Amino acid sequence: MIAENLLSLKKNILAKVTLVAVSKFHPESSISEAYQTGHRAFGENRVQELVSKYESLPKDIEWHLLGTLQRNKAKYIVPFIHLIHSVDSESLLAEINKEAQKIGRKINVLLQIYIAKEESKHGLSEEEALDILNKKKQFPFIQFSGLMGMATNTENQAVVRNEFKGLSIFFNKIKNAYFQDDSGFKILSMGMSGDYELAIEEGSTMVRIGSAIFGNRN
Ligand SMILES: *Cc1c(COP(=O)(O)O)cnc(C)c1O
């Protein structure tokens, strides 16, 4: 099932959109099944689960952290992480930069922007993001790779589309204002199992899909 789900998803999303298979709460055997199809990008929410899966699975997997990162845990993932989607404060960014400097590895990060009308979702306001970008020279071991956002969990497609559209506009605005000379800023991570089609229509370049591949989580 996992392999079939993956292959049909890949047929459905445009070739230029990257699919991150969100394997949180699913066993390593499920990841291996997806890996067998040639898939390499996997996303996890929690540092402990991510590190433990990293240690036991093949080393050519590209690991993505999607969930909230506590500052004191940055050091555990900095040595191997492919992309951190969930940077939501300047202090976290400073910590990642510090740990990255220690080992001489530049870390790819997305700034998570708050776009939903829900208390439970994290992220920076546009102003806070701009504030960080104005200081980006202070973080030489950070590669600003783009933005991430999560839409409101609602049946109302117009609401979801609007939130994605707003993030897409903001992404293009800061790309032009801050990254004219940096082609590394190119990822707009938006879209999950329930809303990835809308997200792609609104300019997503990376979708994070869990349940549509691995089934429901417990
Ligand atoms: C769990 C999670 C996903 C995947 O959600 P599905 O609805 O299972 O596709 C995507 N992004 C983030 C940030 C998540 O926490």
Side-chain angles (χ1 to χ4, degrees):
M1 257 329 259
I2 290 174
E4 289 160 29
N5 290 343
L6 250 179
L7 295 174
S8 79
L9 265 170
K10 283 188 179 174
K11 241 181 266 164
N12 283 331
I13 66 178
L14 305 171
K16 61 183 181 186
V17 177
T18 304
L19 169 61
V20 178
V22 181
S23 47
K24 65 188 183 196
F25 304 123
H26 289 283
E28 287 166 10
S29 58
S30 295
I31 299 176
S32 296
E33 206 177 321
Y35 181 90
Q36 300 295 317
T37 71
H39 193 77
R40 293 295 179 267
F42 293 91
E44 290 284 334
N45 252 31
R46 297 183 183 171
V47 169
Q48 200 180 357
E49 187 175 350
L50 172 61
V51 169
S52 134
K53 286 172 172 171
Y54 162 74
E55 282 169 355
S56 44
L57 287 161
K59 290 295 171 286
D60 62 344
I61 288 179
E62 295 179 350
W63 289 105
H64 295 244
L65 182 74
L66 312 176
T68 311
L69 176 58
Q70 288 171 314
R71 261 183 298 166
N72 59 356
K73 296 201 174 146
K75 58 177 175 289
Y76 300 120
I77 63 167
V78 156
F80 68 88
I81 198 75
H82 181 73
L83 179 63
I84 302 175
H85 290 234
S86 45
V87 169
D88 59 2
S89 74
E90 189 182 328
S91 56
L92 173 60
L93 199 60
E95 184 67 21
I96 297 168
N97 184 69
K98 189 181 92 189
E99 292 300 328
Q101 182 156 24
K102 281 186 194 163
I103 60 168
R105 182 171 193 257
K106 204 163 180 174
I107 306 301
N108 300 319
V109 311
L110 306 179
L111 298 180
Q112 182 173 352
I113 309 296
Y114 179 88
I115 57 173
K117 292 170 189 51
E118 278 169 30
E119 292 289 328
S120 63
K121 305 240 153 88
H122 296 265
L124 299 158
S125 67
E126 293 190 357
E127 278 139 315
E128 289 166 332
L130 292 175
D131 199 43
I132 287 175
L133 291 172
N134 284 327
K135 302 175 192 163
K136 72 181 168 66
K137 291 216 170 65
Q138 292 177 21
F139 308 108
F141 285 85
I142 298 290
Q143 169 65 53
F144 290 91
S145 301
L147 303 180
M148 184 273 250
M150 287 169 88
T152 303
N153 185 6
T154 169
E155 299 286 304
N156 188 336
Q157 302 225 333
V159 168
V160 173
R161 184 185 290 282
N162 241 320
E163 291 171 356
F164 286 149
K165 198 187 288 285
L167 185 59
S168 195
I169 290 168
F170 185 58
F171 172 76
N172 286 313
K173 185 172 132 187
I174 60 183
K175 192 171 150 94
N176 289 329
Y178 294 89
F179 297 98
Q180 293 256 353
D181 304 321
D182 181 357
S183 58
F185 188 90
K186 59 182 177 208
I187 299 172
L188 180 54
S189 167
M190 57 184 201
M192 323 199 325
S193 294
D195 57 19
Y196 70 89
E197 283 151 321
L198 278 178
I200 291 171
E201 283 171 23
E202 296 303 331
S204 170
T205 71
M206 183 174 276
V207 292
R208 312 173 309 269
I209 298 185
S211 43
I213 298 169
F214 296 106
N216 290 329
R217 294 177 285 273
N218 292 326

